[in-house]
Amino acid sequence: MKEIYLDNNATTKVDEAVFEEMRPYFCELYGNPSSMHFFGGQVQGKVNEARQRVAALLGASTDEIIFTACGTESDNAAIRSALEVFPDRRHVITSRVEHPAVLTQCRNLTQKGYRVTEIGVDSAGRLDLEELKAAVDEDTAIVSLMWANNETGVIFPVEEAAAIAKAKGALFHTDAVQAVGKIKIDMASSCIDMLSVSGHKLHAPKGIGVLYLRRGTPFRPFLVGGHQEKSRRAGTENAGAIIALGKACELAGTYMDIENSQVKAQRDRLQDALMASIPNARINGEGADRLPNTTSIAFEFVEGEAILLLLSELGICASSGSACTSGSLEPSHVLRAMGVPFTCAHGSIRFSLSRFTTDDEIDFVIKELPSIIQRLRQMSPFGREFLKSQV
Ligand code: PLP
């Protein structure tokens, strides 16, 4: 069965051009980039080129790019560093809808005596900037807010948020893992101090990330040891993956227009058709500024997992808005923070497209999903009540 892959916010296909770029750096050009000899030197040259490509996509300088192992490491490194840089500041601000890479770390900090404020969102998932303004004070070490939400695609006004944080002397970090490659980012005209990137969300392999660190921003490394990455991240560079990420960033720049035209048009067509053909459905985050590739749709009176299973039988890959905790399916913290009613949050499905998504794939989902929802509603007591009320 050929897959119809609409789960690109979970991970993406490695672009074949990206794979070809990194291929020689495993079995042939396997030198250590830090070695003095020519064999390591040629890898170092390619790592430098990758750094330039990443910097170009972010509108950054090459010395502001630190390669890490993943988005999670970049998030952890940014927050931990701020706390070490400002030992007297004991307050951290984040939002209620962050990825666990940020949220878990922040919640753990409360056990170490830190004050942690989680800023809320409205029913469309928009950040409450007034709440942020009221929360930042001279005790705040860092404000960490995501650029775009992985579940709903809702985009936060990170530049305004950064200005608010910096007015009180706090550092500002953004988890831009879902934003990079999908929307334009220009760190040269920004006041954000730190930004996280993950390779596998933009058609590079898993296990490579970046922490952007604005020049002059005080920093304490998370991993210490060797002098790699100008002593800001010890550990022999994952050269092949770094080279892949460089190529992926170059391609992301080239395809950015496609992301915002073709991919967005497919996303809009998918959600418009599903909203028109399926009663009692709603778009989570509707009305907010959203990523062009993402739509999260709640289908009332059905279980998201049941939808996913039936979609999967047809080869369609998407994801749900629930997390399996201790055997029970809880609506995700993001949908709960938005106040999405329980009956809707349970039946939420996220479709996330990419430049590899085809029109035929979208047509297939538009054709198949309405009958899946109808079947599932017939199987559930609330669903049957609802269907009866429709006739
Ligand atoms: N932040 C966001 C918003 C994400 O969506 C993800 C991955 O899903 C991460 C961080 C973690 O990135 P990685 O898988 O590279 O650790």
Side-chain angles (χ1 to χ4, degrees):
M1 180 167 53
K2 175 84 183 83
E3 82 282 359
I4 293 179
Y5 190 73
L6 300 177
D7 201 12
N8 287 279
N9 287 9
T11 197
T12 58
K13 163 194 163 95
V14 174
D15 190 304
E16 277 167 35
V18 167
F19 184 62
E20 286 311 319
E21 189 91 3
M22 75 179 218
R23 187 203 286 272
Y25 294 88
F26 290 88
C27 300
E28 297 151 45
L29 302 169
Y30 52 82
N32 186 327
S34 301
S35 296
M36 292 299 289
H37 46 68
F38 79 97
F39 196 58
Q42 50 196 10
V43 182
Q44 183 66 61
K46 208 52 194 165
V47 166
N48 291 344
E49 182 192 56
R51 203 182 299 281
Q52 277 160 14
R53 287 170 162 176
V54 174
L57 182 68
L58 300 179
S61 304
T62 48
D63 59 326
E64 296 175 318
I65 304 301
I66 304 172
F67 290 113
T68 64
C70 54
T72 301
E73 183 192 323
S74 303
D75 288 344
N76 275 260
I79 296 170
R80 290 171 75 121
S81 168
L83 301 180
E84 283 190 39
V85 165
F86 295 130
D88 297 335
R89 293 182 177 230
R90 308 285 296 171
H91 182 216
V92 172
I93 299 180
T94 187
S95 83
R96 289 173 62 195
V97 298
E98 297 298 310
H99 187 273
V102 167
L103 212 44
T104 307
Q105 196 195 4
C106 289
R107 289 182 179 166
N108 287 349
L109 286 172
T110 58
Q111 282 145 31
K112 294 186 180 151
Y114 287 92
R115 196 158 52 90
V116 176
T117 305
E118 293 177 16
I119 306 295
V121 295
D122 69 8
S123 60
R126 285 176 291 232
L127 187 75
D128 188 338
L129 275 180
E130 290 308 313
E131 195 184 334
L132 175 64
K133 252 182 228 160
V136 191
D137 58 27
E138 271 76 22
D139 192 36
T140 310
I142 184 161
V143 177
S144 177
L145 294 168
M146 67 203 320
W147 199 311
N149 188 273
N150 44 301
E151 288 190 32
T152 59
V154 171
I155 296 172
F156 277 176
V158 281
E159 294 297 348
E160 280 111 301
I164 293 169
K166 300 196 66 71
K168 297 282 183 187
L171 290 174
F172 187 86
H173 163 254
T174 183
D175 175 341
V177 161
Q178 294 293 346
V180 175
K182 295 172 190 156
I183 54 176
K184 187 150 175 48
I185 290 182
D186 181 33
M187 298 313 286
S189 60
S190 159
C191 64
I192 293 167
D193 299 300
M194 292 181 276
L195 171 147
S196 302
V197 182
S198 171
H200 73 104
K201 310 292 182 177
L202 68 150
H203 306 291
K206 295 158 188 66
I208 181 69
V210 164
L211 177 63
Y212 161 89
L213 177 69
R214 180 170 299 284
R215 193 181 290 162
T217 305
F219 184 72
R220 302 283 180 279
F222 181 31
L223 289 186
V224 292
H227 296 297
Q228 294 88 355
E229 300 299 290
K230 296 193 191 322
S231 298
R232 297 173 300 182
R233 201 279 186 182
T236 301
E237 298 88 339
N238 185 356
I242 289 173
I243 290 161
L245 179 59
K247 183 67 183 173
C249 285
E250 184 190 66
L251 293 175
T254 311
Y255 290 120
M256 184 86 68
D257 287 346
I258 289 194
E259 198 74 45
N260 287 280
S261 53
Q262 177 189 302
V263 177
K264 182 173 185 301
Q266 288 173 331
R267 188 277 310 266
D268 289 348
R269 194 161 68 78
L270 174 67
Q271 70 185 17
D272 291 350
L274 295 179
M275 294 303 290
S277 60
I278 302 175
N280 280 45
R282 52 182 263 177
I283 298 168
N284 298 314
E286 189 170 28
D289 196 12
R290 284 182 300 148
L291 290 174
N293 79 318
T294 309
T295 187
S296 164
I297 308 182
F299 302 101
E300 215 175 353
F301 311 122
V302 273
E303 290 288 342
E305 280 55 41
I307 306 173
L308 286 187
L309 285 178
L310 294 184
L311 285 174
S312 181
E313 281 177 11
L314 298 171
I316 301 165
C317 310
S319 79
S320 78
S322 306
C324 189
T325 9
S326 34
S328 74
L329 284 170
E330 283 288 322
S332 82
H333 68 289
V334 176
L335 300 181
R336 273 185 285 144
M338 291 164 67
V340 175
F342 212 65
T343 50
C344 292
H346 267 297
S348 286
I349 299 292
R350 175 189 73 187
F351 298 100
S352 45
L353 288 60
S354 82
R355 61 178 187 257
F356 295 104
T357 305
T358 65
D359 286 338
D360 287 350
E361 291 174 337
I362 296 297
D363 289 340
F364 188 65
V365 180
I366 290 172
K367 180 163 103 29
E368 296 296 336
L369 190 54
S371 57
I372 289 180
I373 302 293
Q374 173 84 1
R375 255 167 75 197
L376 291 172
R377 281 180 175 164
Q378 274 158 356
M379 285 161 68
S380 93
F382 288 124
R384 275 198 299 275
E385 281 300 307
F386 167 70
L387 290 174
K388 251 191 252 160
S389 74
Q390 293 289 96
V391 275

